[in-house]
Structures are given as structure tokens and as C-alpha cells.
Amino acid sequence: MNFAVGLKPLLAEARNMESLEKQLICPICLEMFTKPVVILPCQHNLCRKCANDVFQASNPLWQSRGSSAVPSGGRFRCPSCRHEVVLDRHGVYGLQRNLLVENIIDIYKQESARPLHAKAEQHLMCEEHEDERINIYCLRCEAPTCSLCKVFGAHKDCEVAPLPAVYQRQKSELSDGIAMLVAGNDRIQAIITQMEEICHTIEENGRRQKQHLGLRFDSLYSILEERKKELLQSIAREQEAKVQLVRGLIRQYGDHLEASSKLVESAIQAMEEPQMAVYLQHSKELLKKITDMSKVSMSSRPEPGYENMDHFSINVDYVAEMLRTIEFQTEPLGEDEVDALGDGSEAAAEEDRLESLEAPDAAEDVGPRQKPASSPHGETLTGTEGLE
């Protein structure tokens, strides 16, 4: 039902009072503050009764003020700014009263009691019966109306109730609803805070596990690098030994070639000697040197395949396959095992394990090595004797 509110002529005069009234409204009950008024640490004000209702809803296990047991403190959030208010064992009774606001309320009520305010209330009139004030509430239509509408008008068959009674009941229901919402919001905020902590814990655990995984793989890299270094040194040692042996043979053959060339040159010069007596004096010695030179064995050389280094081949397929199957273990690491990540003992144990796995396949891949004859100096030869 529509109704007219004839306040337009009084708006200019009541503007200041209305503005002041807005500042004196409790955010919980939506009515003017009821003394005593308490001030929160965030400087917002509440009726102490409303503050206690919110506090009790947020702390259902907190004992009442009249209980014989000593209650512990509690907390709730300001309905205006959501600032968390921490209370001691006195609860809301430990909050400071705002005497300034209480004095302003008294002054406002005194000003509101003047005839101007009463006249303003009288202008809330029924639209159909202009001389009748709206003083009852239709429960079926859920609308304020006047007494004539109930007797003769549209609400004559409806059930009605006094307007102040309905007003107080709905205000009380709204206040209870607000308190429930505020308490629910506090619980939701607590859940959000808990989930944010869970997110932080997940991120921290993930960072720590990434670090542990990096350390594990770094230890594997170290083992592989160390083993690679050892195998390269084995190849280098045999390479150097074989090269030195062959170069020694090259020097021996070179010396033989040089001596033979000089002997040939000397023989050619003797052939050019015109005097027979002089020629015969040196020819016997030259013939003996040529005979001795021809008797020198030239069969001392590396046997076929001596240059082959294929026996240093290794099979890493099974190691690569094992590395591809690395997975996370089902049971979490213990503290002692985590602390051992930085110790060298774990790297040594891992290296021993890889060597034990490598031994069977390495024996299969490396073919039987040739066993050439050794010289008195450890050099491998195939001839009956060395070059002189």
C-alpha cells in the first residue's frame, strides 16, 4: 500500500538532525546507540549489548560474565572495518566507554523531543485517508496502513498488528540476522586465513623438495664426472704407452736407415777409387759392414691391430635405462637422510653401487685383449730381437 510522507516543508530544518542521526546509528542493530556505548581499538563504536552479541556468536565457548569460572579472553571482528578486536578475560566489559558519544546521544534526544520532530512524525499519513495516521501493520499484505483501511478499506478482511510491535519484532530479527552474518563472516575469514597458510606451506614444501631433488641429481653428476675422469685416464695411459713404443721403434728404424745410407755412400765412393791398391785396402772392411748390416733383423714392429683401442668401449644403456626409471619414493625422507644430502659419504656409496652394476656388462663388452710379447723394458714386440 502506498502512503504519503509530508516532510518536504521540513527537510531544510531537519537536515542537520538527520545527518547527526546517521552518525549515531549502531552498525549491528541499525538503531541509535543504546548506552553504554563502547569504543573499539579501531575507533568505531558499538552498543555494548550488540558488541556482546557479536562476541558471544564468535566465541560460543566463552563463559558468561556471571559464571563462577574464570573465563579466558576472546576475539571478534569489527563489523565496520573487519579489524580484529582482541579482548581480555573481562570480554566486552573490558572495552572503554565512549562518554562523548553518549553525551551527544542525550543532546540529540533532547532536540528530537521538540514539537518540530513530533510534527514531522504526524505527517506520516495514509494516502487514502489523508487525516488518518499510519498506526497498524497488515500481516497478510505486509504493509503499514491506517485504522480506517482496516475497518472500511482494502484491509478489512486482513489480520493486523500494532505498528510498534511489528517494528520492534522485525528490528530484533534483523539485528539477530546481522549478528549471525557477522559471526559467519568471522568463521569464513578464519577458514580463508587457514587456507592461505596451507598455500604458503605448500609453496615452502615444494621449494624445499626442489632443493633436495637438485642436490640428489648434483651428486649423480659428480659420480658420473668422477667415473668419466677415471676412464679417460685409463685410455690416456694405454694410449701414451703404445705411442711411446711405436715411436721407439721409429727411432730404431731411423737410426738403421741412417747408418745404411752412410754405408751405401761410403761404398759408392770406394767404387770410384781409380787405384786398385787403395781400393783393396778398404774393400774388405766395407764388405764386412755391408754383410753385418744385411743380417740385422727388420721384423720388429707392432702386430696387426696393435693400434686398436676398441676394448675401451663401455655399455651405458642399462645405466641410462635405470636413470630413466627414477621416481619419487612413496615414503617421505627422514630428517637424518635429508641431512646426509650434503655429506660425501652418500656420493661414495652411490659410486660404489654404480661400479658394482657396471662390472658384469663391462666384462661382456670388452673383448679378450691380445697378449703380445714384452721386451725387457715392458714394450710389446713381435720380432725375435730388437734392432741394434
Side-chain angles (χ1 to χ4, degrees):
M1 176 182 179
N2 295 327
F3 54 90
V5 180
L7 296 178
K8 290 183 179 180
L10 302 175
L11 286 178
E13 300 178 7
R15 186 176 294 114
N16 292 335
M17 295 296 293
E18 291 177 356
S19 177
L20 178 60
E21 183 180 3
K22 292 179 181 179
Q23 302 299 322
L24 300 177
I25 296 298
C26 174
I28 300 299
C29 62
L30 300 181
E31 295 183 358
M32 186 174 298
F33 289 117
T34 301
K35 294 190 295 184
V37 180
V38 295
I39 182 170
L40 305 180
C42 57
Q43 303 303 311
H44 290 107
N45 298 288
L46 295 175
C47 306
R48 187 158 69 186
K49 178 183 180 303
C50 296
N52 189 60
D53 293 341
V54 175
F55 175 69
Q56 293 289 346
S58 301
N59 301 269
L61 300 179
W62 196 84
Q63 300 185 18
S64 62
R65 184 176 176 86
S67 175
S68 58
V70 178
S72 59
R75 59 187 66 199
F76 69 95
R77 294 186 179 275
C78 172
S80 298
C81 66
R82 309 302 300 159
H83 176 78
E84 188 176 51
V85 180
V86 180
L87 302 179
D88 57 14
R89 63 187 183 85
H90 298 289
V92 296
Y93 294 92
L95 293 173
Q96 184 178 0
R97 291 179 61 179
N98 194 335
L99 300 179
L100 176 61
V101 172
E102 293 181 3
N103 292 334
I104 294 175
I105 292 173
D106 293 338
I107 296 174
Y108 175 82
K109 289 182 177 180
Q110 291 177 3
E111 293 294 328
S112 300
R114 292 183 178 182
L116 178 63
H117 185 72
K119 182 178 180 181
E121 290 185 350
Q122 291 176 0
H123 280 75
L124 192 60
M125 312 299 289
C126 178
E127 187 179 39
E128 296 182 5
H129 308 93
E130 297 181 357
D131 295 335
E132 290 293 326
R133 293 179 56 189
I134 295 176
N135 56 359
I136 58 176
Y137 186 84
C138 178
L139 299 178
R140 176 189 296 179
C141 301
E142 296 183 349
T145 185
C146 68
S147 301
L148 293 180
C149 288
K150 168 60 179 170
V151 178
F152 307 106
H155 301 281
K156 61 181 180 179
D157 298 327
C158 299
E159 183 180 359
V160 297
L163 191 64
V166 178
Y167 170 80
Q168 293 297 333
R169 184 178 69 253
Q170 292 190 4
K171 274 294 190 72
S172 179
E173 292 176 357
L174 183 59
S175 178
D176 294 341
I178 292 173
M180 291 177 59
L181 288 177
V182 170
N185 292 341
D186 288 341
R187 287 191 293 270
I188 293 174
Q189 183 63 40
I191 295 173
I192 292 174
T193 302
Q194 183 180 10
M195 290 191 291
E196 289 177 349
E197 293 177 354
I198 292 174
C199 290
H200 177 72
T201 303
I202 292 173
E203 293 174 351
E204 182 63 24
N205 290 339
R207 182 197 63 78
R208 184 170 61 253
Q209 293 304 324
K210 287 178 182 178
Q211 182 180 7
H212 292 168
L213 183 64
L215 292 176
R216 291 288 191 179
F217 274 84
D218 289 342
S219 66
L220 292 178
Y221 300 153
S222 300
I223 294 171
L224 292 175
E225 287 295 332
E226 184 65 25
R227 188 57 180 161
K228 175 184 174 182
K229 181 179 178 182
E230 293 175 356
L231 296 177
L232 290 176
Q233 289 176 351
S234 299
I235 296 174
R237 284 194 297 268
E238 184 160 335
Q239 172 188 334
E240 183 66 20
K242 287 187 174 184
V243 170
Q244 287 182 359
L245 175 61
V246 176
R247 291 193 183 279
L249 293 176
I250 291 174
R251 285 194 298 270
Q252 292 180 15
Y253 276 89
D255 294 341
H256 176 76
L257 180 60
E258 184 180 358
S260 179
S261 299
K262 290 181 179 181
L263 185 57
V264 171
E265 185 178 349
S266 298
I268 292 173
Q269 291 178 355
M271 290 289 291
E272 295 176 353
E273 177 62 43
Q275 297 181 9
M276 291 182 291
V278 175
Y279 171 78
L280 292 174
Q281 289 179 351
H282 300 287
S283 60
K284 187 177 181 180
E285 183 180 356
L286 285 174
L287 290 173
K288 184 179 183 302
K289 289 182 178 180
I290 290 174
T291 302
D292 293 340
M293 183 67 68
S294 62
K295 290 181 179 180
V296 175
S297 175
M298 295 191 308
S299 60
S300 297
R301 55 175 160 243
E303 64 182 14
Y306 181 74
E307 71 278 5
N308 192 354
M309 302 284 285
D310 292 343
H311 55 277
F312 286 105
S313 300
I314 62 173
N315 181 14
V316 297
D317 293 340
Y318 74 100
V319 179
E321 186 63 27
M322 181 180 63
L323 292 176
R324 291 190 188 98
T325 59
I326 293 177
E327 288 292 344
F328 297 107
Q329 60 184 13
T330 56
E331 297 181 359
L333 293 175
E335 295 182 358
D336 297 338
E337 188 175 2
V338 172
D339 295 338
L341 285 176
D343 298 340
S345 58
E346 182 179 356
E350 188 71 18
E351 182 177 359
D352 294 340
R353 185 175 66 83
L354 289 177
E355 290 179 354
S356 63
L357 291 174
E358 181 183 351
D361 292 339
E364 295 176 1
D365 290 342
V366 179
R369 299 190 181 183
Q370 300 173 351
K371 296 182 179 179
S374 300
S375 67
H377 301 289
E379 299 175 343
T380 305
L381 302 174
T382 60
T384 58
E385 57 184 36
L387 293 177
E388 295 180 355

